[in-house]
Amino acid sequence: MQKKMAYSFPDEVLEHVFSFIQSDKDRNAVSMVCKSWYDIERWCRRKIFVGNCYAVNPRIVIRRFPEVRSIELKGKPHFADFNLVPDGWGGYVFPWILEMARAYPWLEEIRLKRMVVTDESLELIAKSFKNFKVLVLFSCEGFSTDGLAAIAASCKNLRELDLRDSEVDDLSGHWLSHFPETYTSLVSLNISCLGSDEVSFSALERLVGRCPNLRTLLLNRAVPLDKIANILRRAPQLVEFGTGTYTAELRPDVFSYLAGAFSSCKELRSLSGFWEAVPAYIPAIYSVCSRLTSLNLSFATIQNPDLIKLVSLCPSLQRLLVLDYIEDSGLEALASSCKDLQELRVFPSDPFGVEPNVSLTEQGLVAISWGCPKLESVLYFCRQMSNAALVTIAQNRPNLTRFRLCIIDPKTVDYLTHEPLDVGFGAIVEHCKDLRRLSLSGLLTDRVFDYIGTYAKKLEMLSVAFAGDSDLGLHHVLSGCESLRKLEIRDCPFGDKALLANAAKLETMRSLWMSSCSVSFGACKLLGQKMPRLNVEVIDERGHPDSRPESCPVDKLYIYRSVAGPRVDMPPFVWTKDEDSSLRLS
Amino acid sequence: MDGGLVLLGGGGGSSGVSTNESAVSKVEVVSEASSYPAESELELGLGLSLGGPGGVTGKTKAGNSPWGECGRILTAKDFPSVASHRANTGGPSSVAVSGIKRAAESVPHEGGSPTGVSQVVGWPPIRAFRMNSLVNQAKAPRAEEEEGVGEKDKPKDALKKKPYNGKKISSGVNEKGHLGFVKVNMDGLPIGRKVDLNAHSCYEGLAQALEDMFLRSANSAGSEKEQVTKPSKLLEGSSEFVLTYEDKEGDWMLVGDVPWRMFLSSVRRLRIMRTSEANGLAPRFHERNEKQRNKPI
């Protein structure tokens, strides 16, 4: 029987058409059309994104996609950022590098997030991939400057080296010198996380000077203010720049030299760094302010009025990260001067103080919601909130896609009415129909989850802490949020019932994290047994869960879908339904 | 165990309830919580079987886990609701989360007594990178206030006030004392751990925590050959392991030698070393052994 369709194209034509399809979702859809499209697509897919490194294993990936040039992997769950995941849990990249070294000699890009990367892995990357171009290690750990030296020395075509927020064992600042003198292809360098006291300044300056395509340079704190000007003068084409420690005694010659250096950077659009910034040197950047689209002052100690003055000079700002020193008054000023603002993050300068140290309240955020029509992404730490404010924000800004509110004291009520903040967050999910990410805080009952389950149809990631009354809350979310991919919960009274009743939902999500909740080990085992394509990990450092009474809830629970089966590198404090200790890393 | 549990098919794709099975489950869940609408405003969701301190009315729901039955890490749930204290005063009693973060590995204990600073791991949710930088900017005067804490028998003038130069992000230590996670490795174990130095105010506390972390879990995992059946005194050098640390200059020193706060400001990471390997560690090692027994730290 002729299965061949009258209008079928030769493979090369289809491949060419597919090459215009970049998004993973679309590519996946293409591959499901028919068997021949599946086959053609898999041979020409160049970029892979693995949201959970344990959802699949390298062999499966390599078998399906033999010609990959770029891979992105994520390891630990998000709450690892807040020290909730014990060290040694997992997320090792080495097995991936090992397999890819054999299968993908032409690999160009590796992007990792929250993974454990060893020097051995870096050395293997350095010698296995001849055309290696991009290395991004986002919130990774486990490696030292020795590994970086290997990358610098061997990767002749390296374009991008980005270590953002990673924990690097700083053995020596001289790894930079391992970039050979003939190496000129650097486009992006982010070493802002390095603590090294000795960064070889001359090596840095020479490197910057000989790389004409350098667009992004984010320095670390060790680079003092008086070294910046020379670096900038060597790279006036920079688009994104991060200073080091931005403090020094005010000296007019240093100031004017620095101001001149900044003003010669006509392409500069993004500034960051500014550790320990002193007001005296802030005016040195004034000449670039009008062009700035992104400004990260979240490590800068400057306060009002210097801070207000600075942001008022940046009318093109699309992205602002700042400490709560900006206060409500600063946010009001921002709302009137920065009409293009899309993303705002306000961090606490004194998160553990009992009394507020600054005058930053819900009013600042409300002002922004009135004044900034393009605002879509918010991360806001504050100490008080009201339902009325949240309703106003929701009505003003239905275009919000990411809304993360952290009221610093758990279970804080609406300070005006003393009620829970259910209604406020309910308004957020009701009005912001494209909301993809939401983090809750304050006093919340099951009602807020009812709203979320009812309205938040596009929600992909939800973070919950110290909220809810009963399993009904969790049930609302799991049964109502159709697009939910990641759910992370801590310190909520959610237990077995909602989890087991919605077991099938878990296979449609990337992962579920629950810590300090009320889930029993029995339920975890049952879930693991009933759902073979879920890995149900109980993370509990108090010893075997069976050594505690049945009613004692598990400490932490991490559930994720996987086609790779149970993992083979579990540490002793991770318990699954399989009691076979031979599977464990001893 | 299969009995009362109904696993819903159909996933979350459709928000509606489409099968009989699903309907049953939903009803189950709904009926269990039918008391929720009226009472939820009063319930503050605390596990009161702990018999925590008052100020809160409410009751443990039937079926919720009785928290009090087992030791666990304290969370803000253990403390009186901030709500009752909040009332526009933002008063000092709202101490639910201020203060030191506590290592997840430290020994859990029962009952919540929020007499002072409470300890909630990972809250507020601020990433370690930012936390380190934040605390580097702590104002000096506060540090002076804290200097008296944790000192035992060392003369105060032994405590030099080290100017914190703000460069050592990785030291995990700060003047405010809020983040003090340093890495700890133990000889023979491939996986290191992290311990929060600021959860302890003296060497004993730290040593105890480390013993629990490394020696106790070695027991329960059953995978370590060198099982120590009774608590060893890492500080006294009488066990087969000693506690050492790497200081800012990169030298490995025996823990316990300098005043606690001085130790905090110079420690970069810890290592539980085999005593046999520690011989060449510090010239005064053996001498120290003698001193340790006589001098309380």
Side-chain angles (χ1 to χ4, degrees):
Chain A
M1 184 178 5
Q2 291 273 51
K3 282 282 187 179
K4 215 172 161 86
M5 292 180 290
Y7 49 90
S8 70
F9 294 112
D11 289 0
E12 300 78 26
V13 176
L14 278 172
E15 221 183 282
H16 182 70
V17 172
F18 294 168
S19 69
F20 293 101
I21 299 170
Q22 301 294 342
S23 101
D24 286 332
K25 261 184 87 174
D26 293 340
R27 280 256 171 186
N28 291 343
V30 160
S31 67
M32 305 263 272
V33 167
C34 62
K35 199 152 188 311
S36 71
W37 279 37
Y38 176 93
D39 270 331
I40 296 166
E41 194 281 320
R42 65 179 262 266
W43 278 97
C44 67
R45 191 172 314 200
R46 297 281 175 262
K47 229 173 131 115
I48 301 282
F49 169 75
V50 180
N52 172 7
C53 64
Y54 290 118
V56 74
N57 65 41
R59 264 179 307 106
I60 295 175
V61 173
I62 291 167
R63 191 174 62 215
R64 179 169 171 194
F65 301 112
E67 298 277 337
V68 165
R69 297 273 185 275
S70 162
I71 186 156
E72 182 174 348
L73 296 171
K74 294 191 183 179
K76 302 185 204 176
H78 174 235
F79 274 178
D81 284 353
F82 315 125
N83 290 315
L84 287 175
V85 177
D87 262 15
W89 170 81
Y92 306 104
V93 81
F94 188 73
W96 287 85
I97 307 291
L98 200 54
E99 302 262 5
M100 294 193 300
R102 282 193 282 264
Y104 298 147
W106 298 111
L107 192 68
E108 295 176 2
E109 304 181 352
I110 295 177
R111 293 178 171 82
L112 306 175
K113 187 169 183 180
R114 279 186 220 108
M115 294 199 76
V116 178
V117 182
T118 55
D119 284 345
E120 207 189 345
S121 304
L122 292 176
E123 281 150 22
L124 192 53
I125 291 173
K127 68 173 198 243
S128 310
F129 308 116
K130 298 298 167 218
N131 203 24
F132 196 66
K133 294 192 175 126
V134 171
L135 182 63
V136 177
L137 303 177
F138 191 166
S139 286
C140 294
E141 53 161 357
F143 61 102
S144 78
T145 43
D146 285 353
L148 297 178
I151 296 282
S154 309
C155 299
K156 302 186 179 6
N157 294 313
L158 193 70
R159 302 277 151 82
E160 190 176 329
L161 179 60
D162 184 341
L163 306 175
R164 63 173 98 161
D165 296 2
S166 289
E167 244 182 70
V168 185
D169 226 346
D170 243 312
L171 302 179
S172 143
H174 295 291
W175 67 274
L176 265 178
S177 318
H178 286 253
F179 282 110
E181 290 301 318
T182 48
Y183 169 74
T184 58
S185 43
L186 195 62
V187 173
S188 171
L189 180 65
N190 178 359
I191 52 170
S192 55
C193 63
L194 291 186
S196 176
D197 274 334
E198 7 138 3
V199 163
S200 168
F201 299 129
S202 54
L204 180 61
E205 281 177 22
R206 282 198 315 274
L207 178 65
V208 168
R210 66 177 185 268
C211 294
N213 298 320
L214 192 64
R215 291 277 172 278
T216 296
L217 179 62
L218 306 184
L219 302 173
N220 64 332
R221 297 174 74 144
V223 180
L225 188 144
D226 54 11
K227 295 280 183 206
I228 294 176
N230 280 333
I231 291 172
L232 285 175
R233 283 177 195 276
R234 279 175 167 74
Q237 76 284 2
L238 280 179
V239 174
E240 239 190 288
F241 180 64
T243 74
T245 302
Y246 203 71
T247 180
E249 261 180 45
L250 180 59
R251 283 174 42 202
D253 52 330
V254 173
F255 179 91
S256 53
Y257 193 57
L258 181 60
F262 271 113
S263 68
S264 68
C265 295
K266 304 293 182 206
E267 310 299 319
L268 211 46
R269 296 289 176 271
S270 166
L271 284 179
S272 60
F274 295 111
W275 283 282
E276 294 167 50
V278 289
Y281 277 98
I282 291 293
I285 67 169
Y286 281 174
S287 59
V288 303
C289 283
S290 61
R291 294 187 292 267
L292 284 183
T293 56
S294 169
L295 185 54
N296 183 351
L297 296 169
S298 63
F299 297 104
T301 36
I302 56 169
Q303 307 193 25
N304 294 334
D306 305 293
L307 192 46
I308 295 188
K309 168 138 198 231
L310 177 56
V311 301
S312 309
L313 288 172
C314 306
S316 312
L317 219 48
Q318 293 170 13
R319 185 170 185 258
L320 177 66
L321 282 67
V322 74
L323 287 172
D324 56 9
Y325 291 135
I326 194 155
E327 299 192 315
D328 290 339
S329 52
L331 291 175
E332 277 150 31
L334 186 69
S336 57
S337 52
C338 301
K339 296 303 184 186
D340 283 342
L341 196 69
Q342 293 170 19
E343 178 177 356
L344 174 67
R345 299 194 189 201
V346 180
F347 296 97
S349 53
D350 185 16
F352 301 110
V354 176
E355 300 289 336
N357 60 324
V358 292
S359 175
L360 180 102
T361 69
E362 82 285 2
Q363 291 309 316
L365 189 57
V366 170
I368 294 283
S369 78
W370 282 113
C372 302
K374 300 192 188 164
L375 188 73
E376 43 174 64
S377 174
V378 171
L379 170 61
Y380 199 77
F381 283 82
C382 61
R383 289 171 190 273
Q384 70 182 40
M385 188 49 61
S386 66
N387 283 309
L390 285 171
V391 171
T392 303
I393 293 165
Q395 288 171 341
N396 287 346
R397 294 275 63 80
N399 50 330
L400 283 173
T401 55
R402 292 182 288 276
F403 189 73
R404 293 193 277 162
L405 180 66
C406 180
I407 305 165
I408 288 181
D409 282 342
K411 304 198 185 184
T412 302
V413 288
D414 176 329
Y415 77 101
L416 296 171
T417 65
H418 306 295
E419 284 176 0
L421 290 169
D422 299 335
V423 167
F425 279 105
I428 294 281
V429 292
E430 188 185 349
H431 292 273
C432 306
K433 302 204 187 305
D434 290 322
L435 196 69
R436 292 196 309 266
R437 185 166 179 187
L438 177 65
S439 298
L440 307 171
S441 57
L443 182 69
L444 297 165
T445 71
D446 285 348
R447 178 172 290 155
V448 73
F449 299 109
D450 195 359
Y451 291 136
I452 292 173
T454 304
Y455 293 111
K457 295 306 182 188
K458 299 264 180 76
L459 192 67
E460 296 178 5
M461 182 170 177
L462 178 65
S463 307
V464 185
F466 307 105
D469 308 311
S470 73
D471 275 56
L472 195 55
L474 180 57
H475 177 72
H476 283 313
V477 172
L478 288 177
S479 58
C481 296
E482 294 163 2
S483 311
L484 197 63
R485 290 190 298 113
K486 289 180 280 183
L487 179 57
E488 46 185 26
I489 300 171
R490 61 164 296 175
D491 292 276
C492 297
F494 301 146
D496 300 347
K497 274 202 154 64
L499 198 59
L500 293 170
N502 291 281
K505 168 71 172 176
L506 298 178
E507 257 191 38
T508 69
M509 293 165 53
R510 182 188 298 175
S511 65
L512 167 65
W513 168 278
M514 291 177 75
S515 56
S516 303
C517 295
S518 312
V519 182
S520 72
F521 188 53
C524 297
K525 278 192 293 197
L526 183 65
L527 195 60
Q529 282 153 13
K530 290 284 175 195
M531 312 288 298
R533 284 186 307 218
L534 286 183
N535 279 0
V536 179
E537 293 188 13
V538 170
I539 301 166
D540 207 323
E541 294 173 283
R542 300 170 293 178
H544 200 295
D546 284 342
S547 66
R548 284 181 291 285
E550 187 62 34
S551 50
C552 188
V554 301
D555 185 21
K556 296 164 183 164
L557 176 60
Y558 185 47
I559 303 174
Y560 54 91
R561 64 181 174 185
S562 176
V563 296
R567 55 177 176 121
V568 298
D569 60 357
M570 284 184 287
F573 51 83
V574 173
W575 313 93
T576 64
K577 67 183 194 319
D578 305 310
E579 299 301 291
D580 189 353
S581 53
S582 69
L583 285 178
R584 290 166 180 279
L585 195 70
S586 52
Chain B
M1 205 176 322
D2 267 273
L5 299 160
V6 179
L7 302 183
L8 259 191
S14 51
S15 60
V17 170
S18 49
T19 66
N20 283 339
E21 255 191 330
S22 319
V24 167
S25 299
K26 191 156 191 181
V27 164
E28 240 180 56
V29 177
V30 167
S31 63
E32 196 261 348
S34 58
S35 57
Y36 122 80
E39 294 171 288
S40 57
E41 291 92 90
L42 301 178
E43 293 286 343
L44 295 171
L46 297 178
L48 288 176
S49 52
L50 275 179
V56 181
T57 55
K59 39 201 188 292
T60 332
K61 285 215 165 66
N64 272 7
S65 64
W67 286 96
E69 285 193 7
C70 57
R72 60 175 181 84
I73 307 295
L74 291 181
T75 66
K77 273 181 76 160
D78 300 311
F79 305 111
S81 168
V82 179
S84 50
H85 298 118
R86 207 64 200 172
N88 291 334
T89 58
S93 50
S94 57
V95 289
V97 279
S98 53
I100 314 171
K101 289 202 306 186
R102 185 195 205 182
E105 295 90 350
S106 47
V107 181
H109 57 272
E110 294 188 74
S113 41
T115 47
V117 158
S118 82
Q119 300 151 355
V120 184
V121 181
W123 191 269
I126 298 173
R127 298 167 67 195
F129 179 62
R130 172 167 301 284
M131 200 67 94
N132 283 328
S133 301
L134 250 189
V135 295
N136 285 346
Q137 289 159 6
K139 310 212 183 326
R142 280 225 197 181
E144 276 163 31
E145 275 168 41
E146 291 177 343
E147 247 160 41
V149 176
E151 274 313 290
K152 300 229 164 143
D153 294 303
K154 302 287 173 178
K156 289 269 165 43
D157 52 79
L159 251 186
K160 289 186 297 223
K161 201 167 158 305
K162 290 189 184 249
Y164 200 74
N165 61 20
K167 286 184 190 171
K168 279 273 182 287
I169 302 181
S170 54
S171 75
V173 152
N174 56 85
E175 289 163 342
K176 270 182 115 161
H178 287 304
L179 181 69
F181 280 92
V182 293
K183 292 192 186 165
V184 194
N185 284 81
M186 175 163 162
D187 285 357
L189 290 183
I191 296 171
R193 307 290 293 276
K194 275 201 194 134
V195 67
D196 181 2
L197 289 180
N198 290 296
H200 309 283
S201 52
C202 63
Y203 287 115
E204 263 110 29
L206 175 63
Q208 186 62 53
L210 290 175
E211 284 163 26
D212 289 337
M213 196 189 300
F214 283 92
L215 305 176
R216 183 185 65 157
S217 51
N219 279 337
S220 45
S223 56
E224 261 305 301
K225 288 193 185 131
E226 287 125 306
Q227 296 198 14
V228 184
T229 48
K230 52 178 184 189
S232 63
K233 298 287 179 248
L234 284 172
L235 290 176
E236 285 178 17
S238 60
S239 80
E240 61 178 299
F241 288 97
V242 287
L243 184 58
T244 64
Y245 72 103
E246 184 186 22
D247 71 3
K248 281 205 295 221
E249 277 89 50
D251 299 322
W252 285 92
M253 318 279 284
L254 203 63
V255 165
D257 206 24
V258 298
W260 174 252
R261 292 214 76 83
M262 192 184 283
F263 164 71
L264 281 190
S265 66
S266 60
V267 63
R268 261 216 238 160
R269 56 183 161 162
L270 298 168
R271 178 176 159 198
I272 300 174
M273 199 184 284
R274 287 199 183 88
T275 311
S276 49
E277 286 187 29
N279 279 330
L281 185 67
R284 295 179 298 150
F285 177 72
H286 293 291
E287 206 178 84
R288 173 148 311 115
N289 252 350
E290 302 307 315
K291 280 191 185 161
Q292 296 284 45
R293 292 203 192 98
N294 304 329
K295 183 168 32 177
I297 291 181

